[in-house]
Each structure stands twice: as C-alpha cells, then as structure tokens.
Amino acid sequence: MQTHLRGRDVIDFQEWTRDELDTVLDVAFALKRDRALGQPHPYLRDKVLAMLFFFASTRTRASFEAGMAQLGGHAQFIESRSTQIAHGDTAKEIGEILGRYNDGIAIRNVDWGIGNRYIRDVAAASRTPVLNMQCDLFHPHQALADLMTILERLGDPRGRTATISWACAKTYSKPLSVPQSLIMLLPRFGMNVRLVHPPEFGLMPEMLEQARENARLGRASFEVLDDFDAGIRGTDVVYAKSWGAVLTTDDEAEEARLVEKYGSWIADERRIATASDDAIYMHPLPAERGVEVTDGVIDGPRSVVYDQAENRLHGQKAVMALTMG
Ligand code: CP
C-alpha cells in the first residue's frame, strides 16, 4: 500500500501507479463503510477546497462539496464567469492565489484544446494539490467511481469485458474525457475493453495507444469496433454515452448532421438483452432519455447509474483525504 500521497495532483489516474490506486480504492471503500455506520471521519478539519467551474455541473459540484463537509472541512464554489477570471486573471495567478488561500484546488474546464492545459498551468503555480473535476481530455474522478461500481457489482474484474461505446445525444457536444479515462483505467485492473464508435467519433490516438499498452501490462485485451450491436454482445459492462466528433470536424452543423446519421445508436432493451447474464448498464449522467438510452434500460434492473453517482462522493473523499491531509 502506498501511503505517501499528500500534495499529489490528480490530473488523470494514468499518472498514478497501480499501488497508489489500490490505496485510493481501499480508503474509498472504508469511508463508504464509515458513512453507512454513521461513523464521523473528519480527516480534513479546518481545510478548504476551492472548486472552480468553467462549465455546468450537478454531481461533481454536489459530491465534492458534500465530501469536504463530511471530512470536516469546507468547499468554496467559484464560477469563472462571475469572477475576474472572466476579465483576465491568468491560470498562474489562480494557482498562486487560490493555492495560498486553500488546501486544494479542484477545477472543471472542458473547453476543447484548453481545459487540460489550463489545469496543468494552475497546478504548476499552486502550492496545494490540484484535482481535475473534468477537462477536455480526462474525467478521473468519474472513472474512479465507475471502477468502484464495477468492483462492487462484478467482483474481481479480471477477464471481464467492458464495452465503452458512443451513443447518440443531441443537446450539446460532450467531451472525450469519460471514455478516454475509462479505456486507460479499466485494463489496468485486468478488464478487456471494447471501444465502440462510429468512424467519425474517434478518440485521441495517443489515448488508444496508452489503453493498448495498459491492456498488455494488465494481461487484458483492447479492441476498437464500429458496430454497436457487436460491441454489446456478450459483454459484462455496457457503458454507452455520447461524445463529440471533435477530431473530425469543428463545424457545429456538420457535427449535428453526424449525430443525426447515427440516431439509431441508443442503448435499448433489445441490445442490452444480448449482453452477459449479469451485465450492468452504466452512464455518468446526465443522460438523454429516449435518444441515448431508453427509460426501460436506465431505470431497469441492470442499471447502476445511481451507484456510480454515489461512488463519486466516496472516491473523491478518499482522494481529498489522501492528498490534502
Ligand atoms: N457525471 C458528471 O460529471 O456529472 P456532472 O456534469 O453533473 O458533474
């Protein structure tokens, strides 16, 4: 068990060793158990987390804020548009200044080509840990909660198969961050990963390369398919969500046309029935009901979406207690 994690940033868990990840999981499940027992665990008494948002959030904001309160500290909510960030505060200034006021800085910035760079620039200037609440490339705390949920539902994940698939959604162009974090994380725990998407909705080649290498090291497989039905058949985890065609086009109208072209990519009862007998359906939420997934699937017996959302709280509390203590 690696215990020396104080001061560490979480930009993506690819930058953490498997031993360090095992420590996070161990602490996360212990904190979940403590909460179930009503056992107080104020490991961050008097500590403050700055939560800086450049984009909307329900679960991420609520779970980080609740988590800090349960750990005996406080979380301050800061929005870019209602602060002087909108008028020119730089990433370096934010890192220097919020790092002096706080014991950690958590940031969500999903702007394509900007978010990850911004978070790394803040981290370079901050004297306290920086936690990625989702950028254009990664969503590490979602992937952590998803891994916890898989461990709870399936037990030993080695040799099991997770399908990380694109699904149709029309409201806005979602980042590549969730699938990219997942295809790299799950093979490290021995899971075979099928990445499934229409040709125009690819992920970044360097992430695929890393996923392949992680699969090799984890004695698992990694394959890329473009057939939604084939991707789901016989799998143990159906994780079907939308992401943008940012590697194909930067034209919104063209992306909307592509989304329409693949309007049949919905996680529905017929498809889920072809997965393994104990397969689970996963989605990080928010989901587009009737477009991305049917009500029958997301509200059905295989769905674990509320466990995923709950595990955001426990996983993040572990990360905060270990890095900000
Ligand atoms: N899954 C997730 O990150 O949810 P929010 O966008 O509501 O934070």
Side-chain angles (χ1 to χ4, degrees):
M1 174 181 267
Q2 291 297 323
T3 55
H4 187 62
L5 297 170
R6 205 158 291 142
R8 287 284 296 277
D9 298 325
V10 177
I11 311 291
D12 190 63
F13 285 117
Q14 182 62 37
E15 294 158 12
W16 286 45
T17 67
R18 174 61 204 265
D19 273 357
E20 291 166 347
L21 277 171
D22 286 343
T23 302
V24 173
L25 289 168
D26 190 58
V27 172
F29 285 121
L31 290 171
K32 185 170 187 176
R33 181 175 175 278
D34 279 353
R35 181 163 164 74
L37 292 169
Q39 185 72 37
H41 38 264
Y43 296 117
L44 295 181
R45 188 174 282 139
D46 300 330
K47 305 266 181 174
V48 183
L49 174 74
M51 301 187 304
L52 171 56
F53 284 91
F54 289 76
F55 191 74
S57 167
T58 304
R59 282 145 290 272
T60 303
R61 177 185 174 181
S63 55
F64 268 100
E65 192 165 335
M68 274 306 288
Q70 291 165 20
L71 290 168
H74 172 73
Q76 53 170 309
F77 174 66
I78 305 170
E79 266 188 311
S80 60
R81 65 182 168 204
S82 60
T83 59
Q84 299 290 28
I85 293 169
H87 299 143
D89 279 336
T90 66
K92 179 170 189 271
E93 289 160 359
I94 291 300
E96 279 282 359
I97 295 164
L98 295 188
R100 293 178 190 219
Y101 296 159
N102 295 281
D103 302 284
I105 306 173
I107 303 172
R108 169 170 283 193
N109 185 335
V110 298
D111 294 339
W112 177 242
I114 294 172
N116 187 262
R117 185 71 267 152
Y118 181 87
I119 292 174
R120 290 193 191 279
D121 287 348
V122 172
S126 172
R127 59 181 63 180
T128 54
V130 168
L131 309 180
N132 181 358
M133 294 196 293
Q134 188 177 25
C135 66
D136 49 337
L137 310 187
F138 308 118
H139 199 353
H141 296 95
Q142 181 66 54
L144 172 63
D146 296 338
L147 175 61
M148 288 177 67
T149 308
I150 290 169
L151 294 172
E152 287 174 330
R153 290 299 181 130
L154 300 184
D156 184 352
R158 285 176 296 180
R160 296 284 211 147
T161 299
T163 297
I164 313 299
S165 179
W166 187 86
C168 184
K170 300 183 178 176
T171 49
Y172 67 96
S173 179
K174 286 150 194 166
L176 309 185
S177 52
V178 170
Q180 293 196 153
S181 282
L182 283 170
I183 62 167
M184 292 190 293
L185 183 66
L186 299 182
R188 298 177 70 189
F189 288 79
M191 287 200 88
N192 302 317
V193 170
R194 291 179 192 163
L195 172 65
V196 188
H197 61 78
E200 299 90 338
F201 288 86
L203 302 183
M204 294 166 71
E206 56 267 44
M207 307 297 170
L208 304 189
E209 201 174 305
Q210 188 63 64
R212 259 183 219 108
E213 175 62 5
N214 289 356
R216 188 183 68 78
L217 295 171
R219 297 167 193 249
S221 64
F222 175 69
E223 54 185 333
V224 183
L225 310 173
D226 63 4
D227 181 328
F228 197 21
D229 287 344
I232 290 178
R233 206 169 298 128
T235 196
D236 301 301
V237 173
V238 180
Y239 201 123
K241 78 170 298 295
S242 162
W243 61 81
V246 287
L247 299 184
T248 298
T249 180
D250 54 11
D251 181 72
E252 273 182 39
E254 172 64 4
E255 181 163 323
R257 194 190 63 73
L258 290 171
V259 166
E260 287 297 334
K261 179 177 169 188
Y262 297 107
S264 65
W265 284 54
I266 180 170
D268 59 13
E269 286 85 339
R270 177 188 67 77
R271 288 188 167 111
I272 301 296
T274 69
S276 72
D277 288 346
D278 63 348
I280 53 175
Y281 164 79
M282 303 184 78
H283 193 292
L285 304 179
E288 287 187 33
R289 286 169 177 257
V291 181
E292 208 175 4
V293 58
T294 61
D295 286 341
V297 169
I298 198 166
D299 295 328
R302 293 173 184 262
S303 175
V304 296
V305 297
Y306 299 125
D307 290 340
Q308 289 174 261
E310 178 183 341
N311 283 332
R312 294 291 305 275
L313 174 73
H314 310 299
Q316 291 158 197
K317 281 168 69 179
V319 168
M320 292 189 289
L322 289 163
T323 61
M324 292 169 55

